[in-house]
């Protein structure tokens, strides 16, 4: 992924108002990010732990989506699989819900997916972050194929948000 500026990130959002995009908390460490290892930029809002954001470069340009997710829940230690990168975690996957773009979102319609709670799918796929014992299942896919699958899964989710 190419490095993004704060302005590019704010103008990419498709499922919130321009005012909301202006007010959302953008990561302060953009210059230090390892952009070559990222397929998308994902982060949790430090001021609002139930909010998360994803910005991805897709065929038709940058798309950003806002997500709602549960805060950390005590006692939730079952193993779950991320629907984006197919990494399994014990307590590290959350149901993240995105309001649909446009009129459908204004009417309260949303779509959801189970995603790594820290939004670090790109790093798990590349082996740069460890999900613990059994976190990555043995697959015959190449690294490039795993990356393509993750990007395709994210693109499909964003397409549901913008449909």
């Amino acid at each position: 992924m190419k490095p993004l500026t704060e302005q590019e990130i704010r103008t990419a959002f498709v499922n919130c108002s321009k005012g909301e995009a202006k007010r959302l908390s953008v990561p302060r460490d953009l210059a230090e990010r390892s952009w070559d290892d990222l397929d998308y930029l994902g982060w949790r809002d430090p001021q609002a732990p139930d909010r998360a954001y994803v910005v991805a470069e897709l065929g038709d340009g940058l798309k950003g989506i806002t997500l709602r997710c549960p805060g950390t829940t005590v006692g939730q230690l079952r193993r779950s699989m991320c629907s984006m990168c197919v990494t399994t975690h014990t307590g590290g996957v959350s149901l993240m819900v995105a309001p649909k773009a446009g009129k459908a979102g204004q009417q309260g319609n949303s779509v959801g997916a189970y995603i790594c709670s820290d939004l670090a799918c790109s790093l798990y796929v590349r082996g740069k972050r460890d999900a613990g014992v059994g976190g990555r299942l043995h697959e015959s896919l190449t690294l490039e194929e795993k990356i393509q699958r993750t990007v395709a899964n994210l693109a499909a989710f964003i397409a549901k948000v913008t449909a």
Side-chain angles (χ1 to χ4, degrees):
M1 179 171 199
K2 75 173 182 76
L4 300 175
T5 65
E6 183 175 338
Q7 185 59 34
E8 288 174 314
I9 292 168
R10 290 188 188 284
T11 58
F13 283 91
V14 296
N15 68 338
C16 67
S17 71
K18 287 181 183 180
E20 289 171 314
K22 213 175 192 180
R23 291 186 301 273
L24 63 83
S25 178
V26 174
R28 297 289 168 223
D29 64 345
L30 292 176
E32 293 88 47
R33 295 273 170 149
S34 179
W35 293 97
D36 291 338
D37 292 330
L38 297 180
D39 304 309
Y40 65 89
L41 176 64
W43 73 99
R44 301 283 293 253
D45 189 332
Q47 282 93 30
D50 65 332
R51 292 187 187 171
Y53 309 98
V54 169
V55 177
E57 288 180 278
L58 302 175
D60 53 350
L62 272 179
K63 295 268 196 270
I65 57 172
T66 63
L67 300 159
R68 292 277 179 178
C69 42
T72 53
T73 308
V74 178
Q76 192 176 27
L77 292 178
R78 68 172 194 254
R79 191 167 268 303
S80 302
M81 182 180 285
C82 173
S83 60
M84 300 298 143
C85 67
V86 192
T87 299
T88 60
H89 300 270
T90 301
V93 174
S94 299
L95 174 62
M96 298 202 184
V97 179
K100 292 192 80 158
K103 265 211 188 309
Q106 292 168 357
Q107 295 171 346
N109 296 327
S110 60
V111 293
Y114 287 95
I115 304 173
C116 293
S117 298
D118 59 4
L119 296 163
C121 296
S122 302
L123 301 178
Y124 290 118
V125 167
R126 289 169 173 78
K128 306 248 178 191
R129 188 167 288 178
D130 184 22
V133 177
R136 294 293 308 164
L137 303 173
H138 176 72
E139 298 181 276
S140 60
L141 298 176
T142 66
L143 176 60
E144 189 55 42
E145 290 170 328
K146 291 175 188 177
I147 291 169
Q148 288 174 356
R149 175 182 60 198
T150 301
V151 170
N153 289 342
L154 180 63
F157 180 65
I158 292 173
K160 288 179 186 175
V161 172
T162 59

